Amino acid sequence: TPFPFSQGRGRITNSGLRVGNTRTAWQECRLVSVQERQPALFHLWSVQEVSGDLERWAERKHTFQMDTQMDFLWQQMGGKELILCGAFAAAGTLAVYVGKLLHGLLYYPFPGPRGGLLGVKISAATGKTLEPLFLEHSDAEFSPVSLRIHGVLVVIIAAAVDIQKANQSRPDGLHRFPVMTLLDLKPESPGLFTAEGDEWRRQRRAYAPAFNAKNVNEMLPVIKDKTARLMRIFEQREIVTDVVDLLKLCTADIICEAALGLDFNRLERAQEDDDDEKEDELRALPRLLQQRFSVSMRKLVRNAHLAILAWLTPRWFCSRWDAVREFFQIGEQVSTLTARLVRRKLDEIKQDPSKAKAKCLMDQAVLQMLREDGDLWTDRQALEVLNSNMATFFTAGSDTTAHSTAWFLYFLCAHPDWQRKSREQLARVLGGRDWATLTSEELKELTVLRACLLESLRLEPTVATFGARVNAPDFSIRGRAVPRGSVVIQLMRLATSRAPGLKEPEAFKPERWLDPATGALRSEREVGAGVVVFGGGPRACPGRLLAEAEMLTIAAAALARFGEWEMAQAADEVGRLDLLTVAPGPLTIRFCKGGVESAS
C-alpha cells in the first residue's frame, strides 16, 4: 500500500504505513480524514504497536486523495510537515532501490571467482580464457560457475543438460547480444540469425521448409558438381597446403547456387588468378561476402571497442576508423547487389510460381511467403528480409561448413584405421560405380563415415563458445534464478569434448556412435554426448541437413578418388585458428592416388 504523499493515493492498513515495499512508522504523524475533514493525531511507536484509532480507520477503509485535497492538507498540517513527510517517503523509496541494487551486485547464484562489486578483470570474448577458469571453479559434474565482468552477472555453463535447457528457452528466454545485428546487411532489418521473438518466428516459418530433407535432396547434384571441381584441384597437386581456403571456396560456391540459384564458380576461377577488375558486379558478390565476413568482421571482433562503436554511434562518427568504414562500405556494396537479385526473383516468382527452383533456397522462401497471408508479408518486408538473410546464409553456409569439413578431414588423416574402414564401407555401397552416383539414401548407409563425422563435430565444434543475455524475468538454471540482463555463456567445446560420464571423452572413438551388434548409427541420447555445433531447441540451425550432406559428400569423394591421405605435418602441429569460427591450421594434406575408383 503506497504512502499518500509519495504516490498520490494511499490506504491505511492495520500493519502500519507503507512506502513502496518498506514498512515504516513515524513517532508522530498527522493524518486527515478526507471524508470527515477533521485532523487527527496518532502516535506510532512501531509497526507492531498500532493504536485502536488507526485500526478503526483501517476497518472503515478511508482513502486519501492527495490530488483533490492538497489545499486542505496544506492548511491543516503545514507546509513544513508535509514536505518532511514527502522527504521521508522519498528517502524510503530510494533506500529500497539502493538495497535492490546492492543485492543484485552481490548476488551470485553459483560458485566462482569474486572481485567486489565490478567483478573480476577478465575478457569474455573467447573460450580460451573461460575454459580454464570454469574447470578451476566447477566440479566433476560441470556445475555452473558465476562471476561478474564489469559489474554484469555472467553464468558459465558446460554441462549438456544445462545447455539443452538454455537452448529450449529461446527465442524468448535468451536473446543474442544486440551488437550481433552488425552481421545483418541492415541492422534495422534483422535476418533469421539475429531476429528475436515474434519476428524470428515469422521468418522461421518462411525459411524452414526450404531446408527440409526433400529440398536438400534436390540440392545434392549441386553439391556433387562443386565437390567434383574440388577433387580435380586436389588431383593437380601432390601436396595441398591450403585445404581450409579451398574448402571455403567450395562451400561458398555451393551456398551461392543453393541460396541464389547462380553458379559463380569461385573455386576454379581463383586458381586462374583472374583479375578482380575484370569481373562484373554480379560475380563480385561472393568475393564481397567473403571479404565482409572473413576480413572486415574479424577486424571488428578482434577490436571489440570498434564493434561497440559501430553499433552504438552514428555512421558519420564511427566511420572515422578504417576498419569500421571498410566494413560498412562492403556491406553497402553487398546490399545493393543482393537487393537487385532479390527484387528480380520476387517479381519473377510472383508472376509465375512455376519458375521457382526446388534446389534454390530463395525461391522456396519466396514461395512460402506468397502462400502465407498477404498481411504478414508486404513486398517491402519480403524484400528486406530476403536481402538481409543473404549475408546470413553465406556466413553460416560457407565458413562454418568449411571449417567443420576441415576438422573432419583432419581426424580421418590422424586416424588411418578409421579412414580405411570408411573407404571399405564406401566401396561396398558403390559396388564399382562412380562416387558421383551416390544418392541421399546411400549417404545414410555410410554409417562408419557418419560416425566419424559426429565424433569430429563432438570433439571440435567450430563454434566453441556461445553467449546470450537473459531476457525472461523468471529464467533459472538448476533451480536458481538468473536475473534479466545477466549473460549466459555456453562452453560448447568443453561440454562435448570433456562430457562427464562419457568414457574417454577426449579420445577420437567413432565406435561409440555405432551399435556393436548391428553396426547401425546410435542416437546422441544413447551415446550420452550431444553435438552442439548446430545448436539446439527451437533455434537449432535449420541448415544442418544441408551442411551434413556437404561434409559427407566431400569426404566420400576424397575416399573414392584417393588412397590413404596423410598430413604433411605432425598431428600435434595443427592448432586452432580462432576466426570467429574455429578452424584447424595450418592444415596440409597429401592425397595419394589409388582410391576406391582406382581399385575398381
Side-chain angles (χ1 to χ4, degrees):
T1 307
F3 187 63
F5 303 122
S6 61
Q7 300 289 341
R9 182 180 179 88
R11 187 182 297 279
I12 300 298
T13 67
N14 57 6
S15 61
L17 303 179
R18 293 178 63 87
V19 182
N21 293 324
T22 307
R23 293 183 179 182
T24 184
W26 316 105
Q27 186 174 4
E28 179 176 326
C29 179
R30 288 190 176 92
L31 302 174
V32 179
S33 168
V34 173
Q35 184 176 352
E36 298 177 3
R37 301 216 171 217
Q38 293 178 357
L41 184 64
F42 297 96
H43 297 272
L44 306 182
W45 298 101
S46 68
V47 293
Q48 288 82 14
E49 298 174 6
V50 182
S51 68
D53 289 335
L54 186 56
E55 288 181 343
R56 286 193 295 274
W57 273 49
E59 292 172 359
R60 293 169 65 181
K61 297 182 179 178
H62 286 180
T63 302
F64 295 93
Q65 294 286 354
M66 184 177 176
D67 52 351
T68 61
Q69 301 298 330
M70 175 59 74
D71 294 338
F72 179 71
L73 292 175
W74 189 273
Q75 294 172 5
Q76 296 296 327
M77 296 186 65
K80 291 183 179 180
E81 293 174 332
L82 184 60
I83 292 173
L84 183 62
C85 289
F88 273 113
T93 304
L94 180 62
V96 170
Y97 287 116
V98 171
K100 287 184 177 180
L101 178 62
L102 291 175
H103 177 268
L105 291 174
L106 296 175
Y107 175 66
Y108 290 89
F110 302 102
R114 302 292 178 255
L117 294 181
L118 293 181
V120 298
K121 295 180 180 180
I122 187 173
S123 171
T126 66
K128 295 179 181 178
T129 305
L130 293 177
E131 283 187 9
L133 183 144
F134 179 86
L135 293 173
E136 178 184 352
H137 293 276
S138 186
D139 53 25
E141 298 300 320
F142 277 10
S143 297
V145 169
S146 62
L147 63 150
R148 289 190 177 274
I149 299 177
H150 303 303
V152 178
L153 178 63
V154 177
V155 177
I156 309 173
I157 55 178
V161 63
D162 296 330
I163 292 178
Q164 290 170 3
K165 183 180 183 299
N167 288 334
Q168 288 294 335
S169 71
R170 303 178 66 200
D172 299 314
L174 291 175
H175 281 186
R176 296 185 187 275
F177 299 124
V179 73
M180 295 299 290
T181 55
L182 288 174
L183 289 173
D184 297 313
L185 292 179
K186 292 185 177 181
E188 64 273 13
S189 301
L192 189 63
F193 182 76
T194 56
E196 299 289 355
D198 292 337
E199 176 61 25
W200 170 82
R201 293 184 179 91
R202 188 172 68 140
Q203 293 193 34
R204 178 79 176 196
R205 287 197 302 270
Y207 281 104
F211 289 98
N212 61 30
K214 179 181 177 181
N215 287 337
V216 171
N217 292 342
E218 295 286 346
M219 297 174 196
L220 195 56
V222 174
I223 298 174
K224 291 177 182 178
D225 177 56
K226 306 300 181 286
T227 301
R229 297 176 185 176
L230 179 66
M231 295 301 112
R232 287 196 292 269
I233 294 174
F234 284 172
E235 285 180 337
Q236 294 170 4
R237 307 182 185 183
E238 182 179 352
I239 298 178
V240 182
T241 58
D242 52 349
V243 174
V244 176
D245 291 336
L246 290 173
L247 287 172
K248 285 196 285 189
L249 290 171
C250 179
T251 53
D253 280 349
I254 292 173
I255 196 61
C256 281
E257 184 160 353
L260 300 172
L262 299 172
D263 183 9
F264 292 103
N265 195 15
R266 286 284 299 172
L267 179 61
E268 290 185 330
R269 291 177 66 244
Q271 313 310 309
E272 299 170 0
D273 295 326
D274 280 357
D275 189 351
D276 288 338
E277 295 181 358
K278 297 179 182 178
E279 64 183 356
D280 56 45
E281 283 188 332
L282 193 59
R283 289 191 177 276
L285 180 58
R287 176 181 59 80
L288 291 172
L289 283 167
Q290 188 81 36
Q291 186 177 357
R292 182 177 187 265
F293 179 75
S294 299
V295 181
S296 299
M297 190 64 191
R298 283 173 185 150
K299 288 181 181 178
L300 295 187
V301 171
R302 290 167 181 167
N303 299 276
H305 64 286
L306 293 181
I308 295 173
L309 275 174
W311 171 57
L312 287 177
T313 61
R315 180 77 60 85
W316 61 266
F317 177 80
C318 61
S319 294
R320 298 178 181 182
W321 285 267
D322 293 341
V324 179
R325 183 170 59 254
E326 177 190 21
F327 177 77
F328 282 124
Q329 286 176 347
I330 295 175
E332 289 173 355
Q333 296 178 55
V334 171
S335 181
T336 300
L337 292 174
T338 55
R340 190 183 308 165
L341 288 172
V342 170
R343 179 79 266 179
R344 188 175 67 189
K345 283 279 186 183
L346 191 60
D347 293 341
E348 182 180 283
I349 295 175
K350 283 185 69 175
Q351 293 176 2
D352 186 2
S354 64
K355 292 184 178 180
K357 300 177 182 177
K359 59 182 181 181
C360 179
L361 294 175
M362 184 190 295
D363 289 10
Q364 294 303 309
V366 171
L367 275 179
Q368 185 65 24
M369 289 178 178
L370 294 178
R371 291 190 190 108
E372 292 189 1
D373 188 351
D375 293 337
L376 292 178
W377 296 102
T378 64
D379 280 1
R380 180 178 178 181
Q381 290 173 332
L383 182 63
E384 289 179 350
V385 168
L386 288 166
N387 188 25
S388 184
N389 276 303
M390 288 304 99
T392 300
F393 288 156
F394 186 87
T395 300
S398 175
D399 281 35
T400 304
T401 305
H403 293 169
S404 295
T405 307
W407 281 115
F408 187 20
L409 300 181
Y410 162 81
F411 280 111
L412 288 175
C413 286
H415 301 274
D417 53 333
W418 283 102
Q419 185 186 145
R420 184 177 62 256
K421 293 177 183 178
S422 300
R423 186 177 288 106
E424 290 172 354
Q425 187 183 55
L426 175 63
R428 291 195 297 271
V429 171
L430 285 175
R433 295 180 290 122
D434 186 270
W435 69 267
T437 62
L438 279 171
T439 65
S440 57
E441 292 301 319
E442 289 175 330
L443 283 177
K444 294 179 182 179
E445 295 176 16
L446 301 177
T447 54
V448 176
L449 190 61
R450 292 173 64 196
C452 292
L453 174 60
L454 289 171
E455 188 70 350
S456 170
L457 295 174
R458 183 187 71 82
L459 286 171
E460 291 293 347
T462 54
V463 182
T465 306
F466 173 77
R469 58 187 179 89
V470 177
N471 184 62
D474 56 349
F475 186 82
S476 64
I477 297 176
R478 298 199 181 187
R480 299 188 183 184
V482 180
R484 177 183 287 180
S486 303
V487 173
V488 176
I489 295 180
Q490 304 175 15
L491 301 182
M492 295 186 288
R493 191 179 71 85
L494 196 62
T496 56
S497 63
R498 298 194 188 184
L502 194 65
K503 185 178 180 181
E504 299 183 65
E506 297 183 74
F508 182 79
K509 288 185 170 294
E511 63 265 28
R512 70 175 93 243
W513 298 93
L514 298 170
D515 187 294
T518 63
L521 209 63
R522 302 171 66 193
S523 67
E524 295 179 7
R525 180 173 297 180
E526 291 175 311
V527 174
V531 174
V532 295
V533 66
F534 298 105
R539 293 204 62 157
C541 176
R544 176 171 184 167
L545 293 177
L546 178 60
E548 288 182 342
E550 291 181 52
M551 291 184 280
L552 288 171
T553 302
I554 291 173
L559 289 171
R561 295 289 289 270
F562 305 104
E564 185 174 314
W565 328 325
E566 57 183 13
M567 283 182 285
Q569 73 269 54
D572 56 4
E573 293 179 2
V574 178
R576 296 185 182 92
L577 297 177
D578 191 1
L579 306 172
L580 290 185
T581 55
V582 184
L587 180 62
T588 302
I589 298 179
R590 180 183 291 108
F591 289 96
C592 306
K593 297 188 185 260
V596 172
E597 294 177 356
S598 299
S600 61

